[in-house]
Amino acid sequence: MIIELTKRQELILQIVKDHGPITGENIAERLNLTRATLRPDLSILTMSGYLDARPRVGYFYAGRPASSVIIERLHKLLVNDYKALPIVVHESASVYDAIVQLFLEDVGTLYVVNQKGYLAGVVSRKDLLRASMGNKALESIPVSIIMTRMPNIVTCHSQDTLLDAAQKLINFQIDSLPVVRNSEEDAGGYELLGRITKTTIAKAFVELGKETNV
Ligand code: ADP
């Protein structure tokens, strides 16, 4: 259970940390409240794992519950620490070349770059399949014709949280997000730093689970 502690609950925790084991009666006295007023707070703190209660002894501080540690860690995971290398193809490359690249690199999406090396578009498996259906001249069609192009590319930045990136994958129903940095020389130019994919998110999820074994 994840809870946002109230001021009073924080005070109770501090008292138990400093003076535990301590009875409910004693805590109430220190706060100038009745035992009855305090009861709901004490049961919330006990149920959520912050406090341990022993009959006839009183309350002990049990530490932060694992659930709250996990949630805090989750919100701190950054794109920068999980991004994979971007797999790129030049905008003049053919659809055929892109398909070969996709297999060689074992990825589902390629990022298309322009002359300057800036992000120009994205080609996914389905884009390539669509272009291949009933089309024999795959070597003569440039990927730039079939790609999803800027400015319609959904991107993320190194300092974004992984949680925000995952939310974008879901909102836009896509498999991958290019990690970009705005070029210092060219306004509007996006340098490619990496990629975040559904696999990245799955890996982080498993890692987090292992790290915080309870
Ligand atoms: P697939 O087509 O292999 O299922 P996606 O679901 O990622 O892969 O792609 C769906 C469509 O969205 C494709 O047309 C692709 O070009 C486009 N697309 C993929 N990634 C992005 C992105 N980051 N921003 C905008 N469009 C994207």
Side-chain angles (χ1 to χ4, degrees):
M1 180 165 67
I2 306 306
I3 54 162
E4 189 93 36
L5 296 185
T6 65
K7 269 250 148 53
R8 189 197 281 165
Q9 287 161 359
E10 296 277 7
L11 273 175
I12 295 171
L13 276 188
Q14 196 54 53
I15 291 173
V16 180
K17 268 187 212 171
D18 295 343
H19 306 284
I22 180 170
T23 62
E25 203 62 53
N26 246 317
I27 300 172
E29 255 168 46
R30 284 176 182 272
L31 288 171
N32 264 331
L33 296 167
T34 64
R35 177 80 179 82
T37 317
L38 223 54
R39 195 160 291 131
D41 287 321
L42 286 172
S43 63
I44 285 173
L45 289 171
T46 311
M47 277 189 321
S48 57
Y50 281 98
L51 295 184
D52 257 347
R54 298 217 190 116
R56 280 183 299 280
V57 181
Y59 292 93
F60 296 83
Y61 180 63
R64 290 180 57 214
S67 52
S68 116
V69 176
I70 293 172
I71 295 291
E72 196 176 291
R73 278 278 295 132
L74 179 63
H75 283 266
K76 281 189 180 154
L77 302 182
L78 293 183
V79 160
N80 193 46
D81 301 324
Y82 287 88
K83 65 182 191 299
L85 283 178
I87 307 300
V88 303
V89 63
H90 194 268
E91 60 185 350
S92 63
S94 68
V95 168
Y96 182 87
D97 288 341
I99 293 173
V100 171
Q101 178 92 340
L102 199 82
F103 277 103
L104 285 179
E105 300 283 357
D106 194 16
V107 289
T109 312
L110 299 172
Y111 300 148
V112 184
V113 293
N114 62 21
Q115 289 295 1
K116 290 187 160 174
Y118 297 143
L119 180 64
V122 169
V123 273
S124 73
R125 267 181 293 224
K126 247 178 269 154
D127 294 333
L128 293 167
L129 267 178
R130 197 181 302 115
S132 310
M133 286 168 75
N135 206 329
K136 300 226 156 52
L138 298 181
E139 271 159 353
S140 59
I141 310 169
V143 275
S144 57
I145 292 189
I146 64 151
M147 70 186 183
T148 302
R149 62 187 58 248
M150 291 292 280
N152 298 324
I153 305 300
V154 185
T155 62
C156 65
H157 293 91
S158 292
Q159 294 310 309
D160 292 347
T161 65
L162 210 52
L163 210 53
D164 283 339
Q167 185 68 65
K168 281 185 181 173
L169 292 178
I170 292 168
N171 290 354
F172 293 93
Q173 298 184 4
I174 48 182
D175 291 348
S176 102
L177 284 180
V179 184
V180 298
R181 172 172 62 197
N182 295 59
S183 159
E184 285 174 8
E185 289 112 56
D186 292 282
Y190 278 169
E191 290 166 15
L192 264 172
L193 300 179
R195 78 192 143 94
I196 293 292
T197 65
K198 289 182 174 170
T199 307
T200 322
I201 307 296
K203 275 187 187 155
F205 178 78
V206 169
E207 209 175 280
L208 189 65
K210 281 186 182 155
E211 223 178 86
T212 46
N213 251 336
V214 281

